[in-house]
Amino acid sequence: MANAATSGVLDREFLPLRARLIDLAAALDRIDRASGLPAADPRREQIAHGLAVLNSPEPNRAEAVLAAFSLPYDPEWRAKTPRG
Amino acid sequence: MDFFDPHIHVASRTTDDLALMAKMGCVVVGEPAFWMGYDRGGVNSFHDYFRQLTEWEPKRCAAAGIEHYAWMGLNAKEAENVGFAREVIAELPAFLERPNVLGVGEIGLHKCTRNEVTTLLGLIDAALASSQMMLFHTPHLEDKYKGTRMILDVLADDRRVDPARVCIDHCEEHTIRLALESGYWAGVTLYPTTKATPERTADMVEMYGPERLLVNSSADWGPSNPLAVPEFIATMRRRGHPDSLIRRLVYENPLAWFRQSEHFRFAPARAT
């Protein structure tokens, strides 16, 4: 199903996207300024992966960012899920 | 525009919220049993909660002009103690017969443990034993993809399951295709921080179409918005989508979904 207002998408999205990018940049700056954060926190890798997805020319970036923040699925989970 | 909110936790909302929802056009709500923010201390707590969803909340909604329907179940956050869960499941059959109950929900997984799966199998069996519809909660954040796949695996294993009578809820971009391609209804929840925004939900409509898609607020005691469905309507209109498509998503689809229950008796009172 096509977006009904295709010609206006960039007009509509430009300012909100600009604002979100600045928010994102400011949050990253805030993390950099904070002292005492462990350098090896795995969440930093997830953030870096998410940012790389944003800069990718591939489609379905929202799905790819969600995948970057998701635990892997193992089709053999029935045999491997530990009993509580 | 008249609309349904097919998933909202009315027990956590004020009467003023219900009045506002009605003013915005809400005519029907669906309230699944869920985790109230603390682990309940005994089966009697569940019994009282199920009474609240089948006796008191319908009255509160009716006073605002909204029809209230409920789903009976045990949320995965309280599913780890399998013995306790079994006692709660034993309470379900009597409540499933109550006149405003549509089926079993919301049930599913939270941290995707073996015990959660054991409890989920018991809940699915209780539902299918009396031909109930089922509403599935999919996990939060990093557990959502894995948990959704596991829920779909469990459902695929049971030949009694009719996908048309199952909704996989809280879908996002990485799980919605899985639910729809398997023939299930897919619910999208509009939340301010987690789950989906109105804009992303409109994106998913544009990518996958309106077939078997439900949009809900899942408004509860946490950050959430009981007027999220009207916000989605406004977002779709801003994008230039016709009212016929929007009405299908917020009214005709949930109507078709709920109508599968013999307990659903809503009759539209006015044209929109």
Side-chain angles (χ1 to χ4, degrees):
Chain A
M1 179 175 294
N3 186 321
T6 304
S7 62
V9 170
L10 186 57
D11 291 342
R12 191 184 69 218
E13 295 295 342
F14 182 75
L15 279 178
L17 188 57
R18 175 184 180 275
R20 285 188 214 117
L21 283 170
I22 295 167
D23 267 349
L24 188 60
L28 293 170
D29 287 344
R30 220 171 290 136
I31 291 169
D32 286 347
R33 287 199 306 273
S35 58
L37 291 180
D41 191 316
R43 291 175 295 183
R44 286 178 181 268
E45 283 180 31
Q46 286 182 311
I47 291 167
H49 187 169
L51 290 171
V53 169
L54 294 186
N55 203 32
S56 157
E58 298 297 317
N60 299 325
R61 294 180 189 84
E63 182 176 347
V65 169
L66 283 163
F69 287 87
S70 294
L71 292 170
Y73 161 74
D74 180 352
E76 304 300 319
W77 64 267
R78 288 177 187 80
K80 295 177 182 172
T81 304
R83 294 188 180 279
Chain B
M1 180 183 289
D2 283 0
F3 71 90
F4 284 40
D5 194 338
H7 184 149
I8 180 170
H9 298 287
V10 173
S12 300
R13 307 304 310 193
T14 65
T15 300
D16 288 350
D17 287 344
L18 296 173
L20 274 174
M21 290 175 71
K23 279 181 192 166
M24 295 298 285
C26 185
V27 289
V28 175
V29 293
E31 177 164 21
F34 86 139
W35 186 63
M36 288 292 276
Y38 59 94
D39 288 348
R40 278 161 276 218
V43 178
N44 282 346
S45 297
F46 276 94
H47 184 93
D48 291 342
Y49 175 57
F50 295 155
R51 283 189 57 211
Q52 181 179 3
L53 299 195
T54 53
E55 296 173 21
W56 172 235
E57 299 306 343
K59 286 180 189 162
R60 223 158 56 91
C61 285
I66 298 172
E67 276 196 25
H68 177 282
Y69 292 90
W71 300 77
M72 297 290 104
L74 173 73
N75 189 275
K77 278 190 74 102
E78 289 173 281
E80 192 58 34
N81 183 334
V82 173
F84 179 62
R86 231 176 253 131
E87 291 180 51
V88 177
I89 292 170
E91 292 282 318
L92 295 182
F95 284 98
L96 290 170
E97 291 177 4
R98 293 203 169 187
N100 76 322
V101 176
L102 299 177
V104 172
E106 56 185 306
I107 58 175
L109 297 173
H110 175 55
K111 286 296 173 187
C112 308
T113 66
R114 170 62 62 181
N115 282 3
E116 287 180 20
V117 173
T118 300
T119 295
L120 179 60
L121 290 170
L123 286 159
I124 291 172
D125 195 57
L128 294 175
S130 54
S131 303
Q132 298 289 331
M133 295 162 65
M134 290 185 282
L135 176 61
F136 281 86
H137 163 94
T138 53
H140 303 278
L141 303 172
E142 72 269 20
D143 295 293
K144 183 177 294 292
Y145 179 74
K146 172 184 173 182
T148 301
R149 293 290 302 262
M150 289 171 68
I151 289 168
L152 296 180
D153 285 346
V154 165
L155 289 171
D157 283 346
D158 196 323
R159 291 185 179 183
R160 297 172 296 172
V161 173
D162 175 1
R165 291 172 60 78
V166 172
C167 176
I168 306 297
D169 213 341
H170 312 318
C171 289
E172 295 181 59
E173 289 87 341
H174 58 329
T175 56
I176 188 168
R177 190 188 305 115
L178 298 170
L180 290 173
E181 285 182 352
S182 302
Y184 302 108
W185 288 80
V188 179
T189 295
L190 304 153
Y191 262 11
T193 313
T194 60
K195 301 189 171 65
T197 60
E199 293 287 354
R200 285 171 52 210
T201 306
D203 292 337
M204 286 186 261
V205 172
E206 289 164 4
M207 287 190 283
Y208 298 103
E211 186 77 23
R212 283 180 282 112
L213 204 60
L214 300 167
V215 179
N216 63 67
S217 76
S218 195
D220 58 12
W221 43 260
S224 52
N225 177 9
L227 301 181
V229 176
E231 278 201 12
F232 168 73
I233 293 170
T235 299
M236 289 287 284
R237 281 181 173 153
R238 265 200 308 277
R239 291 197 186 188
H241 289 296
D243 273 8
S244 56
L245 172 64
I246 302 169
R247 180 179 159 84
R248 179 167 179 193
L249 290 158
V250 303
Y251 187 93
E252 290 162 10
N253 276 3
L255 181 66
W257 162 240
F258 281 9
R259 263 188 180 154
Q260 295 184 87
S261 165
E262 62 185 16
H263 288 169
F264 187 68
R265 61 194 175 278
F266 171 72
R270 58 191 162 95
T272 54

